[in-house]
């Protein structure tokens, strides 16, 4: 079983990556429906389920799955001087699903 934050796209490619008896777990509420091809579930007894919460073991399982399949988040490295701009982007919806990562070393040197 694996979970992917698919709010920003189609989950079908992730279903295709699952092995026999694999389960894709949708964590949290997603505002955009994603189409699923039923045939892709039936062929290898795959399933899709959902949960409002996940624990540390579930998060680690997702990280491991993503590493195995070369799935990485869209990130933007920022320093602390950019926090105001990033906050404004996040307030307006962050439609691209970018994960902002603060460069602590660069920020400390400023």
């Amino acid at each position: 079983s694996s979970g992917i934050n698919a709010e920003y796209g189609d989950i079908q490619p992730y279903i295709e990556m699952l092995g026999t008896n694999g389960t894709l777990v949708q964590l949290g509420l997603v505002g955009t429906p994603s189409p699923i091809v039923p045939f892709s579930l039936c062929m290898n007894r795959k399933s899709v389920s959902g949960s409002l919460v996940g624990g540390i073991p579930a998060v680690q399982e997702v990280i491991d799955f993503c590493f195995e399949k070369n799935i990485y988040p869209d990130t933007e490295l920022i320093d602390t001087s950019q926090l105001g701009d990033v906050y404004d982007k996040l307030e307006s919806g962050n439609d691209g699903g970018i994960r902002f990562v603060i460069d602590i070393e660069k920020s400390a040197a400023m």
Side-chain angles (χ1 to χ4, degrees):
S1 120
S2 292
I4 301 293
N5 178 357
E7 183 167 358
Y8 300 105
D10 183 9
I11 65 171
Q12 189 61 45
Y14 301 109
I15 293 171
E16 299 299 328
M17 291 182 202
L18 294 173
T20 301
N21 296 319
T23 301
L24 181 106
V25 179
Q26 180 74 52
L27 294 176
L29 297 175
V30 177
T32 307
S34 181
I36 296 173
V37 178
F39 185 75
S40 67
L41 299 174
C42 297
M43 287 306 296
N44 289 304
R45 298 182 307 273
K46 298 175 184 180
S47 63
V48 177
S49 68
S51 176
L52 290 177
V53 296
I56 292 173
V59 171
Q60 186 61 55
E61 188 175 348
V62 170
I63 291 169
D64 294 344
F65 177 82
C66 291
F67 179 77
E68 286 175 22
K69 304 294 184 177
N70 291 318
I71 301 169
Y72 299 98
D74 293 328
T75 61
E76 184 177 328
L77 191 62
I78 64 164
D79 59 57
T80 52
S81 70
Q82 297 170 284
L83 286 174
D85 293 334
V86 168
Y87 183 79
D88 292 340
K89 284 181 187 178
L90 294 173
E91 280 270 295
S92 67
N94 191 21
D95 293 333
I98 302 292
R99 304 299 188 245
F100 296 97
V101 179
I102 300 171
D103 185 334
I104 299 297
E105 287 184 19
K106 183 177 178 182
S107 296
M110 296 173 76

